[in-house]
């Protein structure tokens, strides 16, 4: 992880509101080995710096890291007391003046082609995210082979590489799929962000960036609703609250949670806490409980857009909250 001094972190908070910080995991065997054969085997097995592949049923699912974002304390837990946040920070070993989350996207390859779920953050928004496209290519994919892009919601860290600066599609052959509710909300003249407690500049950025993507999509997209297939063998599970049309994606043996929880150390033990950018905090909590109860009861493999890379794990019920159970990773 890129190291920033406490003074630098506070300076970034004052000047930017949201801090970006890199957090890409490099396998120890890769970092320490001089054996070319060993290095090559890592990549043949589908693992590497910034990407990780897991075979689930008939699907090959690759998590692509975009980097990490840093936020001031309380950004993800506006109902929490400062003493609670400091206790959690100390317990988990992260700095007490910032809270970080990683940013991930998925590439799913099966007999129906290549499906991308979310598309990272545009280069240049923050200095330590925007690595999605580099890591996508490093994992052996090319932009022309993507058949469809499923957008779980229209936030900047999920659609960043849909279009380049000129508005040209980065993935020229891909159909774009999103929630009808989500499209209608952001396409409205004045999206209602009255329950969002982030500063006005952040609100304006969310609105302008979503509207820019909608403009670039023109009419070349498909809208779906709860329970419908967003791609062959992949079903939408509506999870409104973070945004009105936010959703998770369910397939055989696996659920992609997207932003059902944004910060694993905060929202899992305290599912009653909401983020300052949640459009409807009450709905966030209801959606989170419904989906996390489901995946914990079924003990199903999950991944999250902001879970620690490489993101795969399981959810276990623990009292009124939940625990994150990482699975063994093979590097």
């Amino acid at each position: 992880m890129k190291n920033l001094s406490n003074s630098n972190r506070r300076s970034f908070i004052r000047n930017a509101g949201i801090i970006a910080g890199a957090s890409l995991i490099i396998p120890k065997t890769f970092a320490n080995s001089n054996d070319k054969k060993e290095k090559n085997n890592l990549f043949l097995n589908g693992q590497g710096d910034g990407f990780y592949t897991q075979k689930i049923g008939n699907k090959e699912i690759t998590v692509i890291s975009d980097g990490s974002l840093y936020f001031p304390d309380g950004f993800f837990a506006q109902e929490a007391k400062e003493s609670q946040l400091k206790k959690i920070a100390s317990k988990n070993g992260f700095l007490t003046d910032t809270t970080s989350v990683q940013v991930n996207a998925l590439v799913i390859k099966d007999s129906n082609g290549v499906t991308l779920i979310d598309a990272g953050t545009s280069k240049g928004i923050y200095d330590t995210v925007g690595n999605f496209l580099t890591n996508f290519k490093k994992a052996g994919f090319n932009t022309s082979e993507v058949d469809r892009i499923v957008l779980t919601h229209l936030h900047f860290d999920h659609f960043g590489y849909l279009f380049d600066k000129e508005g040209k599609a980065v993935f020229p052959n891909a159909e774009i799929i999103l929630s009808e509710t989500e499209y209608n909300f952001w396409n409205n003249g004045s999206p209602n962000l009255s329950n969002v407690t982030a500063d006005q500049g952040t609100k304006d950025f969310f609105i302008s960036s979503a509207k820019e993507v909608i403009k670039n999509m023109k009419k070349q997209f498909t809208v779906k609703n709860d329970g419908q297939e967003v791609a062959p063998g992949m079903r939408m599970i509506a999870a409104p609250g973070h945004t009105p049309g936010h959703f998770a994606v369910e397939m055989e043996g696996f659920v992609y949670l997207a932003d059902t929880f944004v910060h694993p150390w905060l929202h899992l033990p305290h599912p009653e806490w909401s983020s300052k950018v949640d459009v409807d905090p009450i709905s966030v909590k209801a959606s989170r409980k419904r989906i996390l109860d489901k995946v914990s009861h079924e003990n199903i493999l999950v991944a999250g857009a902001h879970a620690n890379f490489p993101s795969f794990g399981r959810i276990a019920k623990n009292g009124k909250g939940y625990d994150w159970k990482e699975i063994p990773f093979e590097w």
Side-chain angles (χ1 to χ4, degrees):
M1 180 178 290
K2 182 178 179 179
N3 293 320
L4 296 174
S5 68
N6 288 344
S7 61
N8 283 340
R9 289 180 185 277
R10 286 190 288 272
S11 174
F12 270 103
I13 290 174
R14 287 194 299 269
N15 295 331
I18 299 174
I19 304 176
S23 184
L24 299 180
I25 291 179
I26 303 177
K28 290 182 180 179
T29 51
F30 181 80
N32 298 334
S33 174
N34 292 317
D35 183 15
K36 291 182 179 180
K37 184 176 181 181
E38 183 178 354
K39 291 180 183 179
N40 289 335
N41 284 339
L42 284 170
F43 290 94
L44 288 172
N45 290 336
Q47 323 307 8
D49 177 10
F51 62 92
Y52 185 95
T53 301
Q54 182 87 19
K55 183 78 172 177
I56 303 173
N58 66 346
K59 300 183 187 304
E60 183 182 276
I61 302 178
T62 301
V63 177
I64 307 290
S65 175
D66 186 61
S68 293
L69 291 170
Y70 284 88
F71 295 80
D73 271 349
F75 192 89
F76 299 111
Q78 55 186 337
E79 300 88 351
K81 297 178 181 178
E82 185 177 354
S83 59
Q84 291 175 296
L85 294 172
K86 286 184 176 180
K87 184 178 179 180
I88 291 173
S90 177
K91 178 182 177 181
N92 291 284
F94 47 80
L95 297 175
T96 56
D97 64 345
T98 62
T99 302
S100 66
V101 295
Q102 302 200 18
V103 181
N104 305 307
L106 295 188
V107 182
I108 301 176
K109 193 171 185 178
D110 61 14
S111 60
N112 296 297
V114 176
T115 301
L116 186 58
I117 303 184
D118 293 332
T121 310
S122 298
K123 202 75 174 176
I125 291 182
Y126 300 114
D127 64 353
T128 48
V129 284
N131 302 306
F132 167 77
L133 193 59
T134 296
N135 289 333
F136 173 87
K137 293 178 178 178
K138 194 189 298 183
F141 300 105
N142 65 72
T143 56
S144 63
E145 70 179 310
V146 176
D147 297 289
R148 61 198 71 84
I149 304 169
V150 176
L151 297 177
T152 60
H153 60 297
L154 290 179
H155 273 173
F156 72 95
D157 53 331
H158 294 261
F159 59 60
Y161 277 99
L162 280 184
F163 303 100
D164 63 18
K165 292 181 179 180
E166 285 70 46
K168 183 180 178 181
V170 174
F171 301 91
N173 302 316
E175 173 191 13
I176 297 172
I177 300 108
L178 72 160
S179 156
E180 184 173 19
T181 301
E182 188 77 352
Y183 173 80
N184 289 338
F185 177 78
W186 294 105
N187 196 44
N188 179 30
S190 300
N192 182 5
L193 300 184
S194 59
N195 289 325
V196 173
T197 58
D199 62 85
Q200 189 60 47
T202 299
K203 293 182 184 183
D204 292 344
F205 174 67
F206 275 119
I207 292 172
S208 62
S209 59
K211 285 185 175 297
E212 181 71 14
V213 163
I214 288 172
K215 182 186 78 172
N216 288 335
M217 288 194 303
K218 302 181 174 67
K219 296 297 181 182
Q220 299 169 349
F221 61 91
T222 302
V223 294
K224 298 284 185 175
N225 292 290
D226 186 31
Q228 292 183 325
E229 280 197 339
V230 293
M234 305 179 208
R235 184 178 70 88
M236 177 191 294
I237 306 176
H242 185 56
T243 65
H246 170 261
F247 62 88
V249 181
E250 182 178 28
M251 56 203 83
E252 186 176 356
F254 178 69
V255 173
Y256 181 60
L257 297 170
D259 285 19
T260 300
F261 67 84
V262 178
H263 199 292
W265 293 286
L266 298 175
H267 294 151
L268 292 181
H270 291 279
E272 74 278 12
W273 289 350
S274 63
S275 163
K276 289 186 176 182
V277 294
D278 288 335
V279 172
D280 182 354
I282 293 175
S283 294
V284 162
K285 299 165 192 178
S287 293
R288 184 177 294 149
K289 183 179 187 306
R290 171 172 48 84
I291 293 175
L292 296 185
D293 279 353
K294 168 186 167 63
V295 297
S296 62
H297 177 73
E298 297 177 2
N299 194 34
I300 194 168
L301 191 67
V302 301
H306 301 294
N308 258 15
F309 179 81
S311 181
F312 290 107
R314 287 183 168 83
I315 303 292
K317 195 83 172 74
N318 183 359
K320 294 181 179 180
Y322 307 87
D323 289 332
W324 176 259
K325 302 293 186 183
E326 291 184 346
I327 64 169
F329 298 119
E330 297 181 357
W331 294 101

